[in-house]
Amino acid sequence: MKKILKWIGIVLLIIILLLGGYIYSIRGRLSLYKSIGEKYMEIAKNPPVINSIEELSTMESMDYKDVEYNNINGIVQTLDIYGPKKDIKGGSPVILYVHGGSWAYGDKSIPDVISPVLDSFRDEGFTIISTSYELMSGEEIFGKQISDVKDTIRWIHKNKENYGFNTKEIGVIGTSSGAHLALMATYTDDGEFKGDEDLAGFSSKVKYVVDFFGPTDLNTLDLSAGGGDINEAIKSAEEENKKEEVLNTYSPINYVGKNMPKTLIIHSKADKIVSYNNSVILYDKLQNTGNKVDMLTLETSNHDLSGVKDEEGLEIAMKMLKFIVRNSPL
């Protein structure tokens, strides 16, 4: 009996030591979960109130503003860096934000509606970067815009030592046309869509991408609804008998294969600008090719986020939080 109790004691001691070691090894993730839980409670008590994109205030407290990342034919593109609020072993994971605006409007200011989510990650050692890209003005430049976003990722890889980035842990969040560019930039190979020659030799690989209302098949869009500039740009391609080629070449759905970045899709059935089916076909094709993909379907939100209910705003925040936490290295 004494021997049995002795062995039970030894086994329990081993279990306790192993459990203690495991808890120690995931202490960073536990801290992140705690921070996320606190942020969840804040969001649950005060859900985001969204009337339209145009009314959103923007995220503040950046550490570096208008950092030049590429210069092509004298046209400079810049990015903003919202640095981590604490140091973590292995370097700072990076979340890159790509703005929307029908490829012709908008800027790299981060909407305040997602800033509480992003700030919770900054608290745990993440870096948030928002990037600009050349906007269309009467001429189709999808390729240039995609290379700008890819160059941003290449710049992150190039400058990992200067800023303490963990380049194995890069995620990209894109909204609307920014989601389209994010998908194109992350679903294509390193050698495609090269921009600045000084960045051409660097990787454009990322770990995951979050797609908000992104067009995945440009053939399905009523591009005239996007405004005069994008409409004129597509007309210019049509006049050169290149419209079909352009729409197919720059549709993310045509680049889905194996080993895509993990993808979270967020889209509304009520979207009248980008058909909800764009996200359905992307989700299905990613699943059929063995990729990891998740999707949140909204019921009431319009493309500009107007009409979204409080509970859907909360769903958006929580889906993003959970997805990024699952892909966290901590």
Side-chain angles (χ1 to χ4, degrees):
M1 185 66 177
K2 288 183 178 179
K3 285 186 177 180
I4 292 174
L5 291 174
K6 180 181 177 181
W7 280 110
I8 289 174
I10 291 172
V11 170
L12 287 173
L13 179 60
I14 291 172
I15 291 173
I16 290 169
L17 289 173
L18 290 173
L19 183 60
Y22 174 71
I23 291 173
Y24 180 80
S25 70
I26 64 168
R27 64 195 186 282
R29 185 177 287 270
L30 290 175
S31 176
L32 179 56
Y33 276 127
K34 178 177 180 292
S35 176
I36 296 302
E38 291 171 350
K39 194 64 65 175
Y40 169 83
M41 294 305 294
E42 291 177 21
I43 295 170
K45 289 178 181 177
N46 300 290
V49 177
I50 306 169
N51 295 315
S52 70
I53 290 281
E54 289 75 13
E55 295 178 13
L56 297 179
S57 56
T58 57
M59 187 172 173
E60 299 177 352
S61 72
M62 71 182 67
D63 294 275
Y64 302 93
K65 182 176 176 59
D66 294 331
V67 178
E68 180 179 323
Y69 73 83
N70 79 4
N71 185 335
I72 301 174
N73 299 322
I75 299 176
V76 173
Q77 298 301 328
T78 63
L79 54 84
D80 297 335
I81 301 175
Y82 302 79
K85 296 181 181 179
K86 74 176 184 182
D87 295 329
I88 57 175
K89 186 178 180 180
S92 177
V94 178
I95 299 175
L96 171 63
Y97 172 74
V98 185
H99 73 84
S102 301
W103 300 279
Y105 313 102
D107 60 43
K108 56 183 166 44
S109 301
I110 296 179
D112 194 49
V113 68
I114 63 173
S115 68
V117 177
L118 298 181
D119 268 334
S120 65
F121 288 100
R122 291 181 69 198
D123 289 341
E124 296 305 316
F126 283 63
T127 296
I128 311 300
I129 294 177
S130 60
T131 191
S132 68
Y133 51 85
E134 187 173 350
L135 300 177
M136 288 193 195
S137 180
E139 182 181 1
E140 178 275 308
I141 55 167
F142 284 124
K144 172 63 168 59
Q145 295 178 319
I146 295 164
S147 69
D148 281 345
V149 177
K150 286 184 81 77
D151 270 0
T152 305
I153 300 168
R154 293 174 179 127
W155 182 93
I156 293 169
H157 281 274
K158 179 180 179 180
N159 289 277
K160 63 180 181 180
E161 300 297 334
N162 296 334
Y163 293 90
F165 301 142
N166 182 346
T167 53
K168 293 180 181 179
E169 303 293 340
I170 302 173
V172 184
I173 298 173
T175 59
S176 187
S177 57
H180 162 263
L181 298 178
L183 290 170
M184 285 295 300
T186 58
Y187 282 10
T188 53
D189 294 334
D190 286 344
E192 297 180 87
F193 298 103
K194 291 184 177 180
D196 194 316
E197 291 182 1
D198 291 340
L199 298 171
F202 292 91
S203 173
S204 60
K205 297 298 182 188
V206 306
K207 187 175 184 179
Y208 61 88
V209 58
V210 180
D211 159 21
F212 271 92
F213 297 74
T216 64
D217 183 353
L218 298 184
N219 291 286
T220 69
L221 302 186
D222 176 8
L223 292 167
S224 63
D229 287 295
I230 182 62
N231 196 30
E232 287 300 315
I234 295 303
K235 276 186 179 178
S236 71
E238 191 170 21
E239 289 168 2
E240 297 175 17
N241 295 317
K242 292 182 179 179
K243 181 178 178 180
E244 183 177 355
E245 177 186 348
V246 165
L247 297 182
N248 289 324
T249 299
Y250 301 118
S251 289
I253 196 70
N254 295 327
Y255 293 85
V256 174
K258 295 181 179 179
N259 302 316
M260 297 287 98
K262 296 172 185 176
T263 304
L264 170 62
I265 303 167
I266 299 174
H267 208 144
S268 173
K269 291 180 178 179
D271 190 342
K272 292 180 173 60
I273 304 295
V274 178
S275 166
Y276 172 70
N277 192 54
N278 274 258
S279 289
V280 173
I281 61 174
L282 177 62
Y283 178 85
D284 289 344
K285 192 166 184 179
L286 285 167
Q287 275 208 321
N288 292 337
T289 47
N291 291 289
K292 293 186 178 180
V293 57
D294 197 1
M295 183 169 175
L296 171 62
T297 296
L298 307 176
E299 299 291 338
T300 64
S301 174
N302 296 317
H303 187 72
D304 64 353
L305 290 179
S306 62
V308 67
K309 294 181 178 178
D310 288 351
E311 56 266 29
E312 287 194 332
L314 182 59
E315 277 189 291
I316 292 170
M318 291 315 303
K319 196 72 172 180
M320 281 183 58
L321 289 172
K322 290 176 183 177
F323 178 76
I324 299 174
V325 165
R326 285 201 304 268
N327 287 292
S328 167
L330 303 180

